[in-house]
């Protein structure tokens, strides 16, 4: 896909993350290149979301090293970080304020960070995520699931970050709406040179969206594989193989003699 | 094959600000001891169809069919009491979220036992043996320990297996599974569906599997109905799903990413052609 392998967008070294006294992520090493799209897959509870949360500063109890675009991440709140890296959650209904219009949701990050020309930027972003301007003054409950996820993506992009953390961004959507959102994410990545670190449980989505993936089990990365391993199931770790089998393998190849 | 369940022209409606709206619009089906899948996008009327079979449409919703017969029993002529005797005993339904369907203040063992004794008179010792046997068959390896747990103490996957145990212990003739694994992750999903599949085959039950996931339904059913906006827009044998000719079914199929995905862009449905749902 022509990303520049010499620049690291996200670097995780020997990362451990805990909630209270329980360590839920252990010894994770991942390097995501700038412009790359990288997936975290694995059974639920394996620590995928926790990794994103640690990077985003939402799970502060970690050890090891995290850096984004060459800048080491500290444990304290980092305002500038928001301009480099943003997160999108699975359930846009839960993550959008019920009493704020789309316009307010999109303007807010600009206000907080002192960006000017806000109205024009909001209009531009709505167009970029494929939302008609008539949705601008609606509330979340007046939008469909797919429209809400477009708003959540638009909000994350308002500060023009280069790195996006996507936590199951289409798991709550119907297949046809999922297709629209995946197309949108792919187009935005191409147009804006974004780097994605994406959690999903859907291996075909990885095949469509990502270059590589880390397979996680019980807080550890058991294998890092190229997305093309999904074509023929050429995984080396037994857990990865069982996850692949449970997802139905590649029926397009099974049919062939 | 004589049909176990026959439905003709089923309609389910709800009142709205602009009058009564039908959410199931004249559905007909005939089911033997086979595995039928109902697929469609959210809001297409799948759950309402499943609930209507058990006469579980709550007011102000309304259901009406020209004919709805289960094993010779006219379901529409049954009293509410008569329906309660059928539910669970002869027709069972597994819902999407086990946490929501299990009683939070009752142990797992007591709930499964209750599901059994409401439909069958048995000495207490036999009840316990049957519960343990059932938990074994849903692959819970330490049933004696699990029986004493409360629903909040079990994982999602185990909760769903407990639900299945509860639904299958009275040995129903028809199992309706409404998105039984949507709340679970893939590895557990396959386990739960394999299990339902095995039990259905072993006990010669009929299955109606409701899901929005086309691939999943194609894997676990013999026959498939595709619903859109309250209507059946396509029907085919599961193995022919990928040859389906109806444009809506084709549109849905094309939108699903594949394990070996080479398309730069996924085709999307033209919603305007379908009334913009
Ligand atoms: N806020 C929290 N407090 C305590 N434990 C948590 C919290 N969030 C997640 N966990 C636990 O951490 C583990 C990893 O969770 P998570 O990262 O959400 O997994 P995944 O995203 O892979 O499903 C799980 O055992 C989960 O129960
Ligand atoms: N209580 C209700 N009042 C009005 N409409 C309802 C009610 N319950 C369900 N519906 C509508 O019925 C339609 C079919 O719902 P459902 O059968 O649950 O869809 P599915 O299971 O296919 O997602 C939906 O459009 C839904 O909004
Ligand atoms: Mg998660
Ligand atoms: Mg439903």
């Amino acid at each position: 896909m022509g990303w520049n392998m010499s620049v690291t967008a996200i670097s995780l070294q020997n990362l451990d993350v805990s909630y209270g006294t329980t360590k839920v992520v252990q010894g994770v090493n991942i390097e995501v290149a700038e412009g790359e799209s990288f997936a975290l897959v694995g059974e639920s509870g394996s620590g995928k979301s926790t990794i994103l949360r640690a990077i985003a500063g939402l799970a502060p109890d970690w050890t090891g090293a995290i850096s984004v675009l060459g800048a080491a991440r500290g444990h304290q709140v980092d305002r500038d970080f928001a301009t480099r890296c943003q997160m999108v959650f699975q359930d846009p209904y839960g993550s959008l304020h019920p009493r704020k219009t789309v316009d307010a949701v999109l303007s807010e990050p600009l206000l907080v960070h002192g960006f000017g020309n806000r109205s024009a930027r909001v209009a531009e972003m709505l167009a970029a995520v494929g939302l008609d301007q008539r949705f601008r003054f609606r509330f979340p409950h007046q939008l469909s699931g797919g429209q809400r996820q477009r708003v959540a993506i638009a909000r994350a992009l308002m500060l023009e970050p280069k790195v996006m953390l996507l936590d199951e961004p289409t798991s709550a959507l119907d297949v046809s709406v999922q297709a629209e959102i995946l197309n949108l994410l792919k187009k935005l990545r191409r147009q804006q040179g974004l780097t994605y670190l994406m959690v999903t449980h859907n291996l075909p989505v990885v095949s469509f969206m990502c270059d590589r993936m880390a397979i996680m089990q019980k807080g550890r990365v058991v294998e890092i594989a190229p997305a093309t391993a999904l074509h023929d199931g050429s995984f080396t770790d037994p857990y990865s193989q069982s996850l692949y089998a449970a997802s139905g393998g590649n029926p397009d190849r099974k049919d062939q003699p | 094959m004589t049909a176990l369940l026959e439905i003709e022209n089923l309609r389910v409606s709800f009142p709205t600000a602009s009058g009564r709206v039908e959410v199931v619009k004249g559905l007909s089906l005939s089911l033997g001891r086979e595995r039928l899948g109902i697929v469609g996008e959210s809001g297409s009327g799948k759950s309402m169809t499943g609930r209507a079979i058990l006469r579980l449409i709550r007011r102000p919703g309304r259901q009406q069919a020209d004919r709805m017969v289960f094993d010779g029993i006219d379901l529409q002529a049954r009293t509410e009491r008569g329906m309660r005797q059928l539910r669970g005993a002869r027709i069972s339904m597994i819902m999407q979220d086990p946490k929501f369907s299990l009683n939070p203040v009752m142990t797992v063992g007591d709930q499964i036992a209750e599901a059994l004794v409401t439909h069958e008179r048995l000495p207490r010792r036999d009840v316990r043996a049957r519960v343990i046997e059932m938990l074994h068959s849903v692959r819970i390896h330490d049933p004696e320990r699990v029986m004493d747990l409360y629903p909040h103490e079990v994982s999602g996957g185990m909760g769903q297996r407990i639900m299945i145990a509860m639904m299958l212990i009275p040995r129903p003739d028809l199992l309706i599974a409404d998105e039984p694994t949507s709340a679970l992750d893939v590895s557990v999903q396959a386990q739960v569906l394999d299990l339902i599949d095995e039990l259905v085959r072993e006990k010669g039950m009929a299955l109606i599997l409701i899901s929005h996931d086309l691939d999943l339904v194609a894997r676990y059913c013999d026959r498939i109905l595709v619903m859109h906006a309250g209507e059946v827009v396509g029907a085919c044998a599961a193995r022919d799903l990928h040859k389906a000719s109806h444009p809506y079914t084709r549109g849905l199929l094309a939108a699903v990413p594949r394990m070996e995905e080479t398309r730069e862009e996924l085709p999307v449905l033209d919603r305007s052609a379908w009334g913009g749902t």
Side-chain angles (χ1 to χ4, degrees):
Chain A
M1 300 226 96
W3 68 85
N4 186 346
M5 289 302 290
S6 63
V7 185
T8 302
I10 303 171
S11 165
L12 308 176
Q13 283 166 25
N14 210 10
L15 181 69
D16 287 6
V17 191
S18 305
Y19 293 112
T21 55
T22 322
K23 200 176 269 189
V24 300
V25 168
Q26 283 191 54
V28 166
N29 292 292
I30 291 174
E31 303 279 318
V32 182
E34 194 171 0
E36 190 178 7
S37 175
F38 191 99
L40 295 178
V41 302
E43 64 197 5
S44 66
S46 58
K48 306 181 296 293
S49 298
T50 299
I51 291 181
L52 299 197
R53 292 166 60 85
I55 300 169
L58 300 171
D61 192 2
W62 55 266
T63 61
I66 299 177
S67 71
V68 174
L69 297 168
R73 196 186 200 314
H75 288 78
Q76 66 292 344
V77 180
D78 180 349
R79 249 175 59 112
D80 277 354
F81 187 78
T83 63
R84 281 177 275 136
C85 180
Q86 283 278 333
M87 184 155 167
V88 175
F89 300 88
Q90 170 176 2
D91 172 17
Y93 206 56
S95 69
L96 295 176
H97 194 292
R99 289 177 188 278
K100 284 187 183 158
T101 62
V102 171
D103 183 72
V105 164
L106 300 189
S107 304
E108 196 170 71
L110 298 175
L111 258 165
V112 170
H113 288 267
F115 283 52
N117 204 10
R118 289 190 287 273
S119 180
R121 280 172 188 255
V122 169
E124 239 172 69
M125 188 55 73
L126 284 174
V129 299
L131 273 178
D132 196 276
Q133 298 297 323
R134 73 196 149 97
F135 294 111
R136 183 162 175 176
F137 294 98
R138 292 212 186 157
F139 292 95
H141 72 266
Q142 296 170 314
L143 303 172
S144 70
Q147 289 163 347
R148 284 198 291 266
Q149 199 54 294
R150 286 177 195 270
V151 173
I153 292 167
R155 175 181 58 183
L157 289 173
M158 285 315 289
L159 299 175
E160 299 173 15
K162 283 293 167 202
V163 174
M164 294 273 274
L165 308 174
L166 306 165
D167 195 351
E168 312 241 16
T170 60
S171 300
L173 306 174
D174 272 315
V175 285
S176 66
V177 183
Q178 165 173 280
E180 292 172 17
I181 298 296
L182 292 177
N183 285 340
L184 171 67
L185 286 169
K186 204 168 187 177
K187 184 188 83 181
L188 291 169
R189 176 178 158 224
R190 193 172 54 232
Q191 288 175 345
Q192 306 188 17
L194 301 172
T195 301
Y196 289 162
L197 179 57
M198 175 165 159
V199 169
T200 177
H201 64 265
N202 187 315
L203 297 181
V205 166
V206 175
S207 187
F208 178 67
M209 283 286 293
C210 302
D211 306 305
R212 289 190 299 156
M213 76 195 102
I215 298 98
M216 294 196 61
Q217 185 190 26
K218 297 184 180 136
R220 296 178 183 275
V221 171
V222 299
E223 180 173 359
I224 291 179
T228 50
L230 296 168
H231 299 180
D232 56 4
S234 57
F235 292 96
T236 55
D237 184 86
Y239 175 72
S240 316
Q241 288 162 352
S242 72
L243 189 72
Y244 183 69
S247 301
N250 181 359
D252 295 332
R253 290 209 180 181
K254 268 187 223 157
D255 288 348
Q256 292 161 15
Chain B
M1 186 164 37
T2 58
L4 181 66
L5 177 70
E6 271 186 286
I7 300 176
E8 269 169 41
N9 196 22
L10 171 68
R11 297 176 179 276
V12 177
S13 64
F14 285 96
T16 69
S18 47
R20 243 177 205 278
V21 172
E22 286 195 335
V23 299
V24 179
K25 302 170 182 160
L27 175 139
S28 300
L29 66 82
S30 172
L31 178 78
R33 294 200 177 259
E34 60 182 327
R35 304 170 303 165
L36 176 73
I38 300 183
V39 286
E41 296 199 277
S42 58
S44 58
K46 306 181 298 294
S47 294
M48 290 304 142
T49 301
R51 297 180 67 87
I53 295 170
L54 284 163
R55 279 207 2 227
L56 283 174
I57 302 295
R58 288 201 201 91
R59 276 200 275 189
R62 233 188 259 157
Q63 66 178 96
Q64 173 72 51
D66 292 351
R67 199 174 133 75
M68 203 158 75
V69 177
F70 168 76
D71 199 19
I73 301 166
D74 181 353
L75 294 175
Q76 297 189 103
R78 276 271 200 190
T79 60
E80 182 46 39
R81 188 152 168 267
M83 280 311 293
R84 276 201 299 270
Q85 284 167 353
L86 276 183
R87 288 183 203 127
R90 305 210 50 205
I91 310 176
S92 273
M93 187 152 172
I94 299 177
M95 312 266 190
Q96 182 167 351
D97 191 349
K99 292 267 146 72
F100 189 68
S101 321
L102 294 171
N103 184 344
V105 297
M106 211 169 164
T107 64
V108 165
D110 286 349
Q111 294 192 51
I112 301 175
E114 191 186 72
L116 178 59
V117 296
T118 19
H119 304 295
E120 219 175 301
R121 275 182 191 285
L122 281 171
R124 191 184 294 180
R125 197 158 17 94
D126 295 0
V127 171
R128 191 175 162 84
R130 278 274 294 276
V131 170
I132 289 176
E133 181 203 325
M134 193 67 225
L135 285 171
H136 264 301
S137 70
V138 297
R139 314 237 168 77
I140 288 174
H141 302 299
D142 45 354
E144 261 122 10
R145 186 184 66 88
V146 173
M147 280 174 77
D148 293 330
L149 299 178
Y150 287 91
H152 72 269
E153 297 174 307
V154 305
S155 68
M158 189 180 284
Q160 198 59 313
R161 277 179 283 178
I162 291 166
M163 267 295 289
I164 294 171
M166 222 166 99
M167 293 302 144
L168 293 186
I169 200 165
R171 299 177 177 148
D173 300 284
L174 169 60
L175 177 67
I176 301 171
D178 188 359
E179 311 261 8
T181 59
S182 300
L184 307 176
D185 62 90
V186 243
S187 45
V188 188
Q189 234 179 54
Q191 279 173 24
V192 169
L193 287 165
D194 286 340
L195 179 71
I196 292 179
D197 195 53
E198 193 184 304
L199 297 171
V200 163
R201 286 165 186 271
E202 227 167 63
K203 300 190 173 16
M205 290 162 38
L207 172 72
I208 296 181
L209 178 62
I210 295 173
S211 173
H212 64 277
D213 185 333
L214 287 102
D215 285 328
L216 188 136
V217 161
R219 268 163 82 192
Y220 289 96
C221 295
D222 308 307
R223 210 151 57 86
I224 293 175
L225 297 182
V226 181
M227 285 190 76
H228 177 266
E231 290 178 86
V232 173
V233 297
C236 62
R239 64 179 173 282
D240 296 333
L241 178 63
H242 287 265
K243 290 182 244 156
S245 58
H246 192 277
Y248 177 74
T249 311
R250 295 220 59 82
L252 275 188
L253 281 168
V256 181
R258 304 204 186 102
M259 207 49 107
E260 184 166 359
E261 190 53 77
T262 50
R263 293 171 293 182
E264 193 43 43
E265 206 177 303
L266 298 169
V268 298
L269 290 178
D270 176 7
R271 279 167 199 288
S272 60
W274 297 99
T277 42

